[in-house]
Amino acid sequence: MSQLTTTSTTAMQRLPKRLSRLGELAGNLLWSWRPASRELFSRLDPELWQQTEHNPVRLLEETENLEAAAEDAGFVAAYHEAISDLDRYLNRRNTWTDYVYPEARDSGGVAYFSAEFGLHESVPIYSGGLGVLAGDHVKSASDLGFPLVGVGILYAQGYFRQRLDSSGRQSEVYEPFEPESRPLAPALDEFGRPVTVGVNLPGRELRLKVWRVEVGRVSVLLLDADIPENTPEDRELTSRLYGGDNRTRITQEIVLGIGGVRALKRVGLTPAVYHMNEGHAAFLAIERMRELVAVGRSFEQAQEEVRRSTVFTTHTPVPAGHDAFTGDLLWEFMTGWPEALGTDGHSFWLLGAKEGDDRFNMTYLAMNLSRNTNAVSEIHGDVSTEMLGRRITYITNGVHTWSWLSSEMFSLFNENSLGRAWREAPETPSAWSFVEELPPESVWRTHEAAKRKMIDFINDRLDLQAERSGGKRQALDPDALVIGFARRFATYKRATLLLSDPERLKAITRAADRPVQFLFAGKAHPADEPGKAFLRDLYSAPEETGIIVLEDYDMNIARYLVQGVDVWMNNPRRPLEASGTSGQKAALNGIPNFSVLDGWWPEAYNGKNGWAIGEEREFASEAEQDAEDVASLYEILENDLVPLFFSRDNSGVPGGWVDFMKESIMTVAPRFSTQRMVQDYIHKLYSPGLYARR
Ligand SMILES: *Cc1c(COP(=O)(O)O)cnc(C)c1O
C-alpha cells in the first residue's frame, strides 16, 4: 500500500514550508502514543486542541497559529524532533519481530478483523473495552514490528455521544463523522486509485468505499457504505455501531467479513492468518471458502484450509451475548451461498448451528471455521469451555503501555530508570524493578500532579454538563479520596451495588477529615433500559454519598481517569467479566485496584497491589451474591482502604499507600501489557498458520 498522509488538502495547503511535514505527523496515529508529538500539537493551539478532541487534522485546518509557530525557534526544534521520531519509528529494522520472528516478515502476516476499533477519540468507532482492546492490539503489533493489518467499519456517525438530563436520564446524540477532517485517507489500489468493493444484499449490491488509518507501522482498513453509489437507505447501513435491528446487524457483519476479505485483496494483501476478534467477523471465513471453491476445492477441502489459517477470540461469557440469526433472516441474506460453497443448505446451516438449533450462531460459525478459539482470561477460559462444550484456551487481555501511561509517570520513570528497558520491552518484569527504589515522596507528588490535572479537566466538564442540563452542580474535591468507576453501563457490571445501604455508605464518605468521593462515567447501550436506570439511580443518589456522575465517557475521559483517580473500582457479578482492562490501565499509573476477583484481576491480585471484593465462590442466588459482595465492599473501605489512604507522614505522604502503588505498577505493567499479549498471540495462535504458509 502506498503511503498517503492525510486526505485533508485544506490542511496540507495551509502548512508553512518550514512545517511542511506536520500533515504526515497528523496522518499517522503514532503521535497519539508519543508524548513529544502530542505535546507539539497541543503547543500549536492548546484551546483548539481540546475543542477538536485532539484531532490534529482539524487542528491544522483551523488554527491561526501556523505562521507564528514557523517563526518560533523552540517550536521548530520540537517539530524536527517529532518528525525524526516518526522517521526512526517507521524505518526501524531491529524490532522484536526482526530478532525473534524474522520469518514473519514475508509470510503475508495477519489480518485482524473487528467490528470496533478504539484507536483514539478522534476516530470514534468504538463503544467500549472490545474496541479499545482491538486498538491496543494493533498498536502493539506495530511496536513489535509485526506484519498485521486491521479490518473494520467506518461508522458515518460513530458511536453516540451521551447526554444526561437534569434527572440523569441518558439521551443519545449522533454527530456526523466527516472523514475528510480526521486522521484517515482513502485506501488506494496498486494504480493509486481509490478502492471500492461490493457485497450482495437481498436484490441488490452494496458498494463500500475503503478507508485507511495509519497506526504506526500498521494500517487499519475501514469499510464505508455512505457513498453516492448507494441508495439513501443503504447509505445508512453502516451509520451506527451496534445500531439498528437484526437486519442491520447481519448487513454490517456481511460488510465486515465479506467486504473485508475483498478489500484486502483489492489493496494487494494476502494475509497468512485471519483473526476474528469476536463472532461479528465470522463471515470472513465463508467468503474465503467461496474463493477456494471457485478455484476447484471441495466444500470439505475449503473448510479445512480456512480452518488452518483462522483464529477466533471470544469475549462474551453469556450465551445471550452471542449474535444469532433466525433461518428466515439468514436465508434472505445468504441466498446462493450454499451453492457457491459447493454444498447444500443443511451443511451450510450446520456451520453455524448444532443439529436441531433454530438459530445460526456467529460464535459457532467462528469456532467451526478456526483452528483455535481463545478466551481472554483464565476464568473466562473455564467459563467458555463449559458454555461452548469445547476446550477453550486463554490469552489474558492487556493494555498498550504507551497509550495509557500519564505524561507525569512517564517523566518520573524516565528520570529514575537506568536505561530504556521498560520502554522498549515493557512485557519484561525485571524492566520494572526500578519502581521498587523510587522515593515514596516522588511517586506521591507525581500522582498528585496527575490527579490535579484530572480534577481540573473533570470539574470543567461537570460545570458544562450542569449548565447544559440545568441539573445539579457537582465537583471533585482535591482533598478527597477519589474512587473511579468508568465502563459501559451493562447491568452485570453492577454500577449501583455500592448504593445497597446508603446510610452505611454515607458514614464512610462523610467521616471528618476523610472525605471520599466516587466518580462514575459510562454509556448504557441505547436499548438497555435497566442500564440507563442505573445511571439515573446514581445521579439521584444523595449528595452525602459522594457520588458524582460524569456524562459522555470516551477514551479521552478514560485517560484522565485511569491516570488521576486514587483507586479503581470494579464490582461485576462474577464470573461475567470476561477480562476487563480499565483496571490494568489504572494500575500501570500506580492506581491500585479495588475489585471483585473476576476477569483478569485474580491473575494479578497478590494482597499487596490492591483489594479483593467478595469471595471466589458460587452463590445460591444473585441476591445472595450481591449482598455478600457489597458487605465486603463496605468492610474493606471502612477498615483498610480509607484508613490507609489517609495515614500520612509529616510531609503528607501516605507511605503504606505508596507501597500499594508501586506494587501495582510492578505486578501489572509487564504482564498485562498488549506487548506481552500480542507476543502470546503470535507464539500460540498465529505461528502455526504463518509456518503453514511458508
Ligand atoms: C478501557 C476502556 C474500557 C474498558 O473498561 P472495562 O472496565 O475493562 O470494561 C471501556 N471504555 C473505554 C473508553 C476504555 O478506555
Side-chain angles (χ1 to χ4, degrees):
M1 283 188 281
S2 65
Q3 293 284 320
L4 197 145
T5 49
T6 146
T7 150
S8 173
T9 38
T10 322
M12 299 303 277
Q13 281 164 357
R14 300 183 79 222
L15 294 177
K17 223 180 168 92
R18 296 175 77 178
L19 302 174
S20 61
R21 294 186 65 196
L22 265 184
E24 260 174 83
L25 198 66
N28 189 318
L29 286 179
L30 178 67
W31 60 260
S32 71
W33 74 94
R34 307 304 263 196
S37 306
R38 283 198 304 253
E39 180 53 36
L40 187 76
F41 288 124
S42 160
R43 182 169 169 180
L44 181 60
D45 195 333
E47 267 180 35
L48 194 58
W49 182 237
Q50 287 280 350
Q51 269 171 34
T52 61
E53 280 155 344
H54 308 140
N55 174 351
V57 178
R58 272 196 55 206
L59 182 81
L60 297 183
E61 284 177 347
E62 294 174 22
T63 181
E64 301 296 336
N65 303 346
L66 284 166
E67 296 303 331
E71 299 305 319
D72 172 349
F75 186 91
V76 174
Y79 158 79
H80 284 296
E81 193 40 59
I83 294 292
S84 46
D85 179 56
L86 175 68
D87 288 340
R88 270 197 308 272
Y89 184 93
L90 294 180
N91 298 321
R92 194 173 152 183
R93 299 301 306 170
N94 54 345
T95 63
W96 179 88
T97 302
D98 292 314
Y99 285 121
V100 179
Y101 223 86
E103 340 47 316
R105 281 245 156 265
D106 349 277
S107 66
V110 172
Y112 180 90
F113 281 61
S114 180
E116 43 173 316
F117 280 92
L119 295 162
H120 186 259
E121 58 269 22
S122 60
V123 189
I125 53 168
Y126 62 92
S127 85
L130 179 73
V132 175
L133 178 81
D136 283 3
H137 191 113
V138 165
K139 291 175 191 169
S140 277
S142 169
D143 289 344
L144 292 167
F146 188 77
L148 181 139
V149 58
V151 180
I153 294 179
L154 184 71
Y155 302 95
Q157 301 178 343
Y159 198 55
F160 68 90
R161 309 291 303 255
Q162 180 195 51
R163 294 283 170 253
L164 297 181
D165 73 7
S166 58
S167 53
R169 199 184 315 270
Q170 169 178 305
S171 60
E172 296 92 26
V173 180
Y174 290 90
E175 288 175 355
F177 186 91
E178 292 170 355
E180 292 75 15
S181 299
R182 308 253 180 193
L184 31 109
L188 305 177
D189 67 13
E190 55 181 314
F191 306 109
R193 297 171 309 200
V195 171
T196 55
V197 296
V199 294
N200 286 330
L201 295 181
R204 65 205 193 273
E205 190 191 41
L206 182 71
R207 298 299 304 175
L208 299 161
K209 174 169 177 164
V210 185
W211 296 86
R212 228 179 69 216
V213 191
E214 294 300 298
V215 190
R217 295 183 190 82
V218 167
S219 300
V220 178
L221 303 179
L222 298 175
L223 298 138
D224 175 12
D226 187 19
I227 52 173
E229 287 91 321
N230 296 319
T231 63
E233 299 78 54
D234 280 357
R235 292 180 72 156
E236 297 196 356
L237 287 168
T238 55
S239 302
R240 296 177 180 184
L241 170 60
Y242 305 141
D245 55 9
N246 264 351
R247 303 175 66 82
T248 312
R249 190 67 168 245
I250 196 170
T251 305
Q252 291 190 350
E253 296 186 358
I254 288 170
V255 166
L256 177 63
I258 298 171
V261 171
R262 295 177 183 173
L264 288 168
K265 210 168 180 176
R266 285 293 314 283
V267 300
L269 294 176
T270 47
V273 173
Y274 289 73
H275 185 168
M276 311 189 275
N277 186 42
E278 196 48 292
H280 311 129
F283 286 138
L284 77 84
I286 65 160
E287 167 65 3
R288 295 184 55 224
M289 284 176 67
R290 189 193 62 78
E291 288 178 338
L292 291 166
V293 170
V295 296
R297 308 289 204 290
S298 70
F299 176 69
E300 288 74 20
Q301 287 168 333
Q303 187 171 345
E304 198 37 50
E305 265 189 68
V306 167
R307 277 178 56 99
R308 272 206 300 272
S309 52
T310 308
V311 299
F312 167 48
T313 304
T314 177
H315 294 264
T316 319
V318 279
H322 296 254
D323 274 333
F325 302 112
T326 61
D328 286 350
L329 189 68
L330 184 82
W331 293 127
E332 187 185 341
F333 281 83
M334 290 283 131
T335 322
W337 277 86
E339 296 75 13
L341 264 53
T343 188
D344 57 29
H346 186 64
S347 308
F348 184 94
W349 178 257
L350 289 181
L351 291 174
K354 293 201 208 100
E355 199 72 64
D357 284 356
D358 63 353
R359 282 174 191 256
F360 187 85
N361 186 308
M362 295 300 280
T363 299
Y364 291 151
L365 180 66
M367 277 202 305
N368 284 335
L369 293 177
S370 53
R371 174 197 290 264
N372 289 98
T373 299
N374 74 288
V376 292
S377 72
E378 186 173 3
I379 294 196
H380 181 226
D382 295 339
V383 171
S384 301
T385 296
E386 200 164 306
M387 175 176 60
L388 299 170
R390 202 181 289 192
R391 180 69 221 145
I392 307 290
T393 57
Y394 71 93
I395 293 178
T396 304
N397 285 345
V399 296
H400 184 243
T401 312
W402 285 80
S403 294
W404 296 105
L405 186 65
S406 70
S407 313
E408 290 79 9
M409 281 290 167
F410 178 84
S411 302
L412 177 74
F413 295 169
N414 241 7
E415 285 153 19
N416 289 278
S417 61
L418 290 172
R420 301 164 59 89
W422 72 273
R423 289 168 54 177
E424 299 292 335
E427 74 279 18
T428 317
S430 61
W432 295 87
S433 52
F434 70 91
V435 172
E436 180 103 59
E437 311 302 330
L438 291 174
E441 171 138 18
S442 312
V443 174
W444 184 244
R445 300 294 171 228
T446 306
H447 170 67
E448 282 187 325
K451 181 174 177 179
R452 217 171 306 121
K453 191 171 80 175
M454 187 259 319
I455 290 181
D456 289 344
F457 172 81
I458 298 295
N459 283 351
D460 281 351
R461 284 286 184 108
L462 288 168
D463 284 347
L464 271 177
Q465 179 178 335
E467 264 165 48
R468 189 161 39 215
S469 67
K472 60 180 175 184
R473 294 215 163 256
Q474 321 168 83
L476 288 171
D477 166 6
D479 295 325
L481 160 62
V482 177
I483 301 179
F485 182 109
R487 48 185 58 86
R488 289 180 305 112
F489 265 55
T491 46
Y492 78 85
K493 295 187 185 251
R494 297 191 299 187
T496 53
L497 186 69
L498 87 164
L499 275 177
S500 309
D501 184 346
E503 293 313 313
R504 191 163 172 191
L505 182 61
K506 285 184 205 170
I508 295 169
T509 55
R510 265 183 332 189
D513 305 327
R514 297 196 326 195
V516 178
Q517 289 183 315
F518 295 89
L519 178 57
F520 282 86
K523 296 173 178 175
H525 184 276
D528 181 7
E529 290 304 328
K532 291 182 178 180
F534 277 11
L535 277 163
R536 288 199 298 278
D537 292 347
L538 286 168
Y539 187 86
S540 52
E543 196 187 326
E544 307 90 295
T545 57
I547 291 175
I548 291 177
V549 185
L550 174 72
E551 68 184 6
D552 207 26
Y553 186 53
D554 70 353
M555 287 178 76
N556 186 31
I557 294 178
R559 220 180 295 111
Y560 279 101
L561 264 49
V562 301
Q563 296 173 357
V565 301
D566 296 306
V567 184
W568 197 253
M569 184 168 86
N570 190 17
N571 48 252
R573 184 173 290 122
R574 200 173 166 280
L576 298 182
E577 184 80 292
S579 167
T581 52
S582 60
Q584 302 169 348
K585 302 169 192 165
L588 169 67
N589 287 289
I591 295 169
N593 278 265
F594 172 42
S595 174
V596 165
L597 285 164
D598 197 9
W600 72 284
W601 184 228
E603 295 170 47
Y605 172 66
N606 69 2
K608 296 183 291 184
N609 58 0
W611 296 269
I613 301 170
E615 293 173 31
E616 283 185 282
R617 65 179 178 92
E618 289 181 19
F619 294 87
S621 70
E622 287 186 350
E624 187 194 331
Q625 185 172 12
D626 293 355
E628 298 252 336
D629 284 351
V630 76
S632 159
L633 187 152
Y634 292 141
E635 254 161 52
I636 295 168
L637 286 172
E638 289 159 350
N639 302 332
D640 301 321
L641 207 154
V642 180
L644 189 69
F645 182 81
F646 285 104
S647 105
R648 308 290 170 96
D649 69 11
N650 292 336
S651 30
V653 177
W657 187 268
V658 172
D659 290 341
F660 273 72
M661 295 180 67
K662 289 182 173 183
E663 189 73 15
S664 288
I665 299 169
M666 289 188 295
T667 54
V668 175
R671 267 178 64 205
F672 301 94
S673 73
T674 38
Q675 187 99 353
R676 185 275 308 154
M677 181 190 84
V678 172
Q679 289 179 15
D680 281 354
Y681 275 100
I682 294 170
H683 288 309
K684 295 183 187 164
L685 298 191
Y686 298 160
S687 71
L690 294 176
Y691 281 119
R693 166 66 72 86
R694 298 193 327 124

